[in-house]
Amino acid sequence: MEKQLDKILRRVQKPGRYSGGEWNAVRKDWQSTDVKMAFAFPDVYEVGMSHLGLQILYGMVNDREDALLERVFAPWPDMEEQLRNTGLPLTSLESRRPLRDFDIIGFTLQYELSFTNILNMLDLAGIPLRSADRAGGDYPLVVAGGPCAFNPEPIADFIDVFVIGEGEEAVNELLDAYLSARRSGEGRRDLLLRLAGCDGFYVPSLYRVEYNEQGTVHMVTPVGKNVPALVRKRVVADMDAAYFPTRMVVPAIESVHDRAMLEVQRGCTRGCRFCQAGVIYRPVREKEPQTLLRHAGELLCSTGWGEISLTSLSTSDYSRVAPLVSELIKQHGPAGVNVSLPSLRVDAFSVGLAREVQKVRRSSLTFAPEAGTQRLRDVINKGVTEDNLMEAVEAAFTAGWHSIKLYFMIGLPTETDEDLHGIANLARRVLNKGHALVRAKGRLKVTVSVSSFVPKSHTAFQWEPQNTMAELKRKQALLRDLLRGRGLVFKWHDPQSSFLEAVLSRGDRRLAPAIEAAWQNGARFDGWSEFFDLGKWQRAFESTGVDPRWYAYHRYEYNDTLPWDHISAGVSKKYLVREHRRSMEGAITPDCRNGRCPGCGLCTTLATKPYLAGGETVAPLPDTVQ
């Protein structure tokens, strides 16, 4: 089979996506390893190899003597064509073994528009798509985790087990449970029951879903002994002591982010009401600077990368970021290593940091005010003022930047046309500031990038409907007219793909036939504009009797059972209701890093708490927002 694989690799655009053998890749002895797991990334190699979670789990599992972890990525259409024409199965990169030979296949769910790629990968592997069809055979256990697992219901019929929350500890428990079940001669159902009894493991086949006549979920009931009614997420309590890979696999071809990744913290205390990541990765847990410096040195030594990126949801918020950046530059700058900050706060402090790390190169800076007026920024709890933005751009233009990118969202709850005019006014104020401060005025550019609001589970806006496609297109057209002029660039996101994302992110199990039908219609790589085709999905919805508009545009009530209510992110529903009501009043909820405890309930529910490097503390629990 290897010769046949080599032969078809000559016929595809980028053979490096499938050849393996990269620097620091691990190939363990297949026969002598007890449990074999494949990490399946449902997107192309260049995207998957930029994912820190892959590197963490890859290093951690392969450090075990009794387990191996190999990688597989979604084949690009040219490779899929070759596999189907030749009848070859989808294989892993390391051993080139068919996925069918592994004990466990673990998919990561980073975005909803990758769901059809999961089905395609299972099909190319010769594995039945639905978990019920795998129950009677010796098929790999199909596991999935990641952000989209917080509403797993649309793909519940295809997955055996979901891991809810952070995977560092859960993956070892998964492997241990699998080995223990095998040694004791347990069957597949016994293994699923065993896993369902562990914190953070959700086995959808062990739950029954009933619906109301109005179309909403009536109840979700566990149907097995010791199966919990509520599945709580896993949290790594001590990030500083958690496993971190310092021998990352270096991609064979250029990837989206081809650099060393240093995770400085996990979680965010900002509390933006639209942000799912801000809820599901709570609480904030910082790493100590000494740990990060040691990891950085080992990473650069083992990989040869010339850039190190400080990653997190909000790196500027890391309490030791300034001394850490200075020390990294001091230690590694002379060797030509750059430090990068992928996310910046909207303030002059962040510009100062960016100036520190970009002493030689001057690229553009990106800020995310998210909304055009202070009223709407208060509704979403952004915690940023127009003065903050103007101070930041003034610092940026003064320091030599001549290109600023501003990121906004449209379709937010309570948005009016006045808020859209606010976006244009803000962009023009930034442009005028640049004209006053930048010498090379011909190079001055302000880019306004606009995405469409997608309501997500476990957020304060989870009850809100999405704007209709027609309304989003009208708003985009209005902004296009308002943002005409020299020095202004307007970019927007396709509302059709945002619509589908809303359907899948708010969906329930009744969507499974439509997802499968869309895949059969040829839907692949739906997150890629060159492949996205809403027509394939519309035909799928029609043929399966699903009205996608109901899922995207339905306004849930507070007392409705939501499709994801049996999955807990640790934050109470009572808190989310309170946050939603405060948003409608335009009331700000303070950042728990500096203000009062917002009372989300996570610290008591999960017996964990925020941790700031150097022992700083956050707001005490009794001092809560009412």
Side-chain angles (χ1 to χ4, degrees):
M1 190 173 75
E2 284 217 27
K3 287 183 179 178
Q4 286 179 287
L5 278 170
D6 286 338
K7 196 172 179 180
I8 66 172
L9 287 183
R10 299 189 196 113
R11 302 174 189 151
V12 299
Q13 187 184 10
K14 293 185 178 180
R17 288 170 170 161
Y18 318 99
S19 54
E22 305 99 318
W23 185 253
N24 288 335
V26 178
R27 183 169 180 178
K28 301 177 83 168
D29 182 71
W30 184 269
Q31 297 300 335
S32 62
T33 305
D34 292 331
V35 58
K36 293 95 173 175
M37 181 172 178
F39 186 102
F41 199 98
D43 209 320
V44 74
Y45 176 92
E46 295 93 313
V47 176
M49 284 303 295
S50 305
H51 179 52
L52 179 59
L54 181 155
Q55 298 278 7
I56 291 174
L57 296 181
Y58 186 81
M60 195 169 64
V61 174
N62 282 321
D63 273 0
R64 290 175 57 132
E65 288 188 1
D66 58 356
L68 63 78
L69 184 71
E70 301 190 354
R71 296 160 296 148
V72 61
F73 301 90
W76 200 245
D78 60 347
M79 184 60 169
E80 180 188 347
E81 182 181 0
Q82 292 299 322
L83 290 174
R84 293 197 184 280
N85 288 344
T86 57
L88 289 172
L90 187 62
T91 58
S92 67
L93 267 63
E94 280 77 4
S95 66
R96 291 192 170 185
R97 292 266 182 172
L99 285 196
R100 176 75 173 75
D101 290 353
F102 286 79
D103 300 309
I104 302 170
I105 300 173
F107 284 96
T108 181
L109 307 174
Q110 295 300 307
Y111 26 84
E112 290 85 356
L113 299 188
S114 67
F115 286 172
T116 51
N117 279 4
I118 293 174
L119 303 195
N120 202 38
M121 292 171 76
L122 289 174
D123 183 67
L124 286 168
I127 297 171
L129 303 186
R130 291 179 177 260
S131 59
D133 296 331
R134 298 191 291 267
D138 185 22
Y139 294 106
L141 193 70
V142 177
V143 182
C148 298
F150 280 84
N151 178 19
E153 294 306 292
I155 54 170
D157 287 355
F158 308 114
I159 305 296
D160 298 319
V161 185
F162 289 94
V163 176
I164 310 299
E166 295 165 352
E168 282 95 336
E169 295 165 354
V171 72
N172 278 324
E173 288 184 24
L174 170 68
L175 295 170
D176 291 341
Y178 186 91
L179 285 169
S180 181
R182 178 194 283 168
R183 286 165 185 152
S184 59
E186 291 179 3
R188 193 181 189 89
R189 181 170 173 80
D190 290 332
L191 171 61
L192 294 175
L193 282 166
R194 177 194 286 260
L195 287 169
C198 302
D199 287 343
F201 289 90
Y202 171 54
V203 180
S205 60
L206 299 179
Y207 292 79
R208 181 175 62 247
V209 183
E210 298 172 60
Y211 300 92
N212 296 311
E213 289 182 1
Q214 297 82 1
T216 53
V217 173
H218 175 56
M219 64 170 62
V220 179
T221 313
V223 294
K225 188 179 178 182
N226 298 325
V227 179
L230 186 69
V231 182
R232 290 198 174 94
K233 75 173 182 182
R234 298 294 296 262
V235 175
V236 176
D238 185 353
M239 283 303 299
D240 200 60
Y243 175 86
F244 189 78
T246 55
R247 293 185 64 84
M248 293 185 182
V249 183
V250 180
I253 60 176
E254 187 176 0
S255 59
V256 175
H257 299 302
D258 196 3
R259 58 202 177 203
M261 292 174 280
L262 194 63
E263 186 181 27
V264 299
Q265 64 181 10
R266 198 170 289 176
C268 176
T269 55
R270 291 275 165 178
C272 297
R273 289 172 176 137
F274 59 83
C275 182
Q276 187 188 51
V279 174
I280 65 177
Y281 291 113
R282 286 187 184 196
V284 69
R285 290 145 291 157
E286 296 185 349
K287 293 185 179 181
E288 296 293 345
Q290 298 87 342
T291 304
L292 293 169
L293 289 169
R294 175 167 52 83
H295 286 166
E298 293 173 5
L299 257 176
L300 293 171
C301 184
S302 70
T303 62
W305 269 313
E307 181 175 343
I308 190 158
S309 175
L310 306 185
T311 66
S312 76
L313 291 173
S314 179
T315 298
S316 304
D317 284 335
Y318 173 59
S319 62
R320 295 288 184 271
V321 65
L324 174 66
V325 166
S326 295
E327 192 60 29
L328 285 170
I329 291 173
K330 179 182 173 184
Q331 290 187 12
H332 304 292
V337 173
N338 292 313
V339 178
S340 63
L341 303 164
S343 57
L344 287 180
R345 234 167 36 200
V346 183
D347 58 22
F349 170 76
S350 297
V351 176
L353 272 179
R355 187 180 183 182
E356 180 76 8
V357 302
Q358 294 186 14
K359 286 180 176 175
V360 180
R361 293 182 298 177
R362 285 282 185 270
S363 56
S364 66
L365 278 184
T366 301
F367 299 106
E370 308 286 2
T373 62
Q374 193 58 48
R375 183 201 68 80
L376 192 51
R377 286 193 291 274
D378 290 345
V379 166
I380 64 176
N381 204 44
K382 183 60 183 175
V384 168
T385 66
E386 188 164 330
D387 286 345
N388 295 145
L389 177 65
M390 297 315 296
E391 288 169 7
V393 297
E394 181 174 348
F397 288 137
T398 304
W401 275 278
H402 49 77
S403 179
I404 299 291
K405 292 180 182 175
L406 300 175
Y407 179 84
F408 295 93
M409 220 180 281
I410 61 171
L412 286 162
T414 79
E415 183 182 69
T416 66
D417 282 2
E418 187 178 340
D419 300 303
L420 303 179
H421 282 270
I423 291 175
N425 294 339
L426 207 51
R428 291 194 183 281
R429 279 200 65 190
V430 172
L431 186 66
N432 291 338
K433 180 66 74 175
H435 277 298
L437 296 172
V438 174
R439 288 186 178 179
K441 297 185 180 3
R443 299 173 63 193
L444 184 62
K445 185 169 72 172
V446 176
T447 301
V448 174
S449 182
V450 169
S451 67
S452 302
F453 167 67
V454 177
K456 295 282 185 175
S457 70
H458 302 89
T459 68
F461 290 159
Q462 63 182 349
W463 295 277
E464 291 285 338
Q466 189 181 50
N467 276 182
T468 64
M469 274 193 282
E471 177 65 356
L472 289 173
K473 288 178 180 176
R474 184 194 71 79
K475 290 179 175 180
Q476 290 176 346
L478 175 59
L479 280 173
R480 204 160 41 241
D481 287 340
L482 294 172
L483 288 167
R484 293 185 193 280
R486 186 179 174 83
L488 289 174
V489 177
F490 177 51
K491 295 182 177 179
W492 62 93
H493 196 258
D494 178 11
Q496 292 188 345
S497 61
S498 298
F499 167 72
L500 181 61
E501 186 182 345
V503 173
L504 297 176
S505 67
R506 307 184 90 210
D508 53 46
R509 293 190 183 190
R510 291 169 295 184
L511 285 182
I515 295 170
E516 187 171 352
W519 166 73
Q520 288 169 337
N521 290 343
R524 310 276 193 279
F525 289 98
D526 294 302
W528 293 71
S529 58
E530 61 263 53
F531 296 117
F532 179 70
D533 181 353
L534 187 62
K536 292 174 180 173
W537 280 91
Q538 286 173 327
R539 292 198 300 279
F541 289 129
E542 288 168 9
S543 66
T544 54
V546 172
D547 181 2
R549 296 168 300 178
W550 187 89
Y551 288 99
Y553 304 150
H554 180 74
R555 179 184 293 280
Y556 287 112
E557 302 298 328
Y558 290 145
N559 58 1
D560 281 341
T561 298
L562 303 175
W564 50 87
D565 270 355
H566 55 297
I567 305 296
S568 170
V571 172
S572 73
K573 197 169 180 180
K574 181 181 173 183
Y575 163 77
L576 294 176
V577 169
R578 189 169 68 230
E579 276 298 281
H580 183 262
R581 286 181 169 143
R582 288 174 66 82
S583 76
M584 295 299 109
E585 298 165 358
I588 288 287
T589 297
D591 182 339
C592 77
R593 187 185 286 263
N594 301 312
R596 293 177 295 166
C597 170
C600 71
L602 180 135
C603 294
T604 49
T605 301
L606 299 181
T608 184
K609 60 182 181 180
Y611 179 78
L612 305 188
E616 291 187 7
T617 58
V618 295
L621 282 175
D623 187 15
T624 56
V625 175
Q626 299 298 324

